[in-house]
Amino acid sequence: GEKRGAQVEQGVGAAAVVASTMPPHIQMVMGPAGVGKSTYCQAMQEHAATERRRVHVANLDPAAEEFAYDVAFDIRSLIAVDDVMEELGYGPNGGLLYCMEYLLENLDWLKEEVDNYDDDEYIIFDMPGQIELYSHVPVMRNLTQNMREQWGVKLCGVYLIDATFASDTSKFISGALLSLSAMIQLELPHINVLTKCDLVDEQELEQVLQFDSASLLADSALGIGNRSEGGGGERGAAGGVPTDAEFAAGSGSRLSRLTYAICSLLDDFTMVTFLPLNLKDEESVGLVLHTADHIIQYGEDLEPKDADYGAAEGDG
């Protein structure tokens, strides 16, 4: 009986250790260079502080130089692009790819850093901006698979697109394709965010976001009839491709068919939607943060932390 009791106590103790070392919740922030990833990380960190939450931001971009946010840990303590370029003679892109492959081969470093945070804590990874890392090079896919399957991390992808692209349909569609490529490659719970919304005309942005399909957006951009006004259902039933006459009556571009085919591909996946982010609007920032919280189930199993405040007020 004593032996069994000791075993039970040992088992409970082991369970407590496991519970205390559960991995944290993590956002992985991606997007092209210059889209505002670091600014996004800073905004999320500052907004969380207003909600009495603490968000840790880690830099996983070995080419980064300066940060506006408080850095929890930095990949440059493991490897940096400048060192790789100097020692191996690589260019910037080749050096960055080497750094990320080096990280993959030394995941113990990242695991040790992540293990410093409990399951009720929240980390944002500020990732590199090279597109090929999220499209056809398997480095990021292997990284995220390790984190989810072996470490048990609750992880989501946040892909950023510059809202100033909204004024140029071709750029906007290209950005949507890049986002879709990352979604398919990484296979993560995923949200897409339009950054720099405070720098574009609000009505113009709303006009782009009101289209419920990329094909309707292409209709409007190519000037194909009035198909974008209530014609979505008929077009879908007919197979979704405009007629020769409609193309001829439109912009007349020889690439119009290709543009429309690409948009139809986006519609077939029905996965690419965007959340607008206006850094001057706290509600907008909060909506993006809480959407990410939802898809990684942050907060569902957390105990309330304001009991001490209530006790203090009662004593008063």
Side-chain angles (χ1 to χ4, degrees):
E2 293 179 358
K3 182 177 181 181
R4 180 172 179 81
Q7 290 176 337
V8 170
E9 290 180 2
Q10 184 178 4
V12 171
V17 170
V18 171
S20 66
T21 56
M22 288 288 288
H25 298 71
I26 297 176
Q27 283 188 41
M28 194 167 82
V29 180
M30 305 165 286
V35 77
K37 294 185 293 295
S38 295
T39 303
Y40 170 94
C41 294
Q42 177 190 4
M44 293 300 121
Q45 189 176 66
E46 292 177 352
H47 181 83
T50 67
E51 297 182 347
R52 302 174 72 180
R53 287 174 53 182
R54 186 173 183 184
V55 167
H56 308 277
V57 182
N59 173 53
L60 290 190
D61 181 0
E65 296 180 354
E66 297 180 358
F67 310 101
Y69 51 78
D70 296 328
V71 183
F73 56 90
D74 188 346
I75 189 177
R76 295 177 304 170
S77 65
L78 175 71
I79 190 169
V81 166
D82 289 343
D83 295 336
V84 171
M85 292 172 60
E86 181 178 348
E87 294 180 15
L88 300 180
Y90 288 177
N93 289 335
L96 190 138
L97 181 57
Y98 179 91
C99 288
M100 301 315 293
E101 290 175 342
Y102 186 85
L103 171 64
L104 195 60
E105 294 170 358
N106 295 272
L107 280 181
D108 289 346
W109 173 83
L110 184 59
K111 182 71 164 59
E112 290 176 3
E113 294 290 353
V114 170
D115 283 347
N116 290 326
Y117 302 92
D118 296 328
D119 61 335
D120 63 341
E121 295 191 89
Y122 202 104
I123 307 176
I124 297 178
F125 285 172
D126 188 0
M127 304 299 295
Q130 273 64 14
I131 298 301
E132 59 268 28
L133 292 173
Y134 313 101
S135 56
H136 59 278
V137 177
V139 174
M140 290 304 179
R141 180 184 177 91
N142 294 336
L143 174 63
T144 56
Q145 281 184 336
N146 272 280
M147 293 176 64
R148 296 182 69 192
E149 297 174 8
Q150 297 185 23
W151 305 356
V153 166
K154 292 184 177 179
L155 177 68
C156 75
V158 179
Y159 198 92
L160 308 184
I161 295 292
D162 194 327
T164 58
F165 287 4
S167 60
D168 187 324
T169 302
S170 62
K171 288 183 179 179
F172 189 75
I173 293 172
S174 296
L177 277 176
L178 291 173
S179 175
L180 177 61
S181 177
M183 294 169 72
I184 295 172
Q185 173 82 348
L186 300 180
E187 296 182 340
L188 291 175
H190 189 105
I191 60 174
N192 301 301
V193 176
L194 283 176
T195 60
K196 306 181 183 179
C197 288
D198 52 311
L199 302 180
V200 300
D201 182 79
E202 185 176 350
Q203 291 184 345
E204 185 178 6
L205 182 61
E206 289 179 356
Q207 184 177 2
V208 172
L209 294 177
Q210 75 179 355
F211 292 107
D212 58 2
S213 79
S215 298
L216 290 177
L217 180 60
D219 286 348
S220 175
L222 298 175
I224 299 176
N226 293 319
R227 298 161 60 85
S228 61
E229 298 179 3
E234 295 179 3
R235 182 198 57 213
V241 180
T243 66
D244 291 340
E246 286 174 320
F247 274 122
S251 66
S253 170
R254 64 186 180 87
L255 297 178
S256 296
R257 287 185 180 276
L258 176 59
T259 300
Y260 200 88
I262 292 173
C263 291
S264 297
L265 174 66
L266 289 169
D267 289 343
D268 286 344
F269 278 91
T270 63
M271 295 169 61
V272 183
T273 57
F274 293 94
L275 281 174
L277 173 62
N278 184 341
L279 295 181
K280 296 181 179 179
D281 183 352
E282 287 296 322
E283 290 186 6
S284 173
V285 178
L287 176 62
V288 172
L289 177 60
H290 297 154
T291 301
D293 291 348
H294 176 71
I295 64 175
I296 55 176
Q297 301 174 315
Y298 175 78
E300 292 186 359
D301 300 323
L302 300 183
E303 294 293 332
K305 289 190 173 183
D306 57 351
D308 291 341
Y309 293 100
E313 291 175 0
D315 292 342

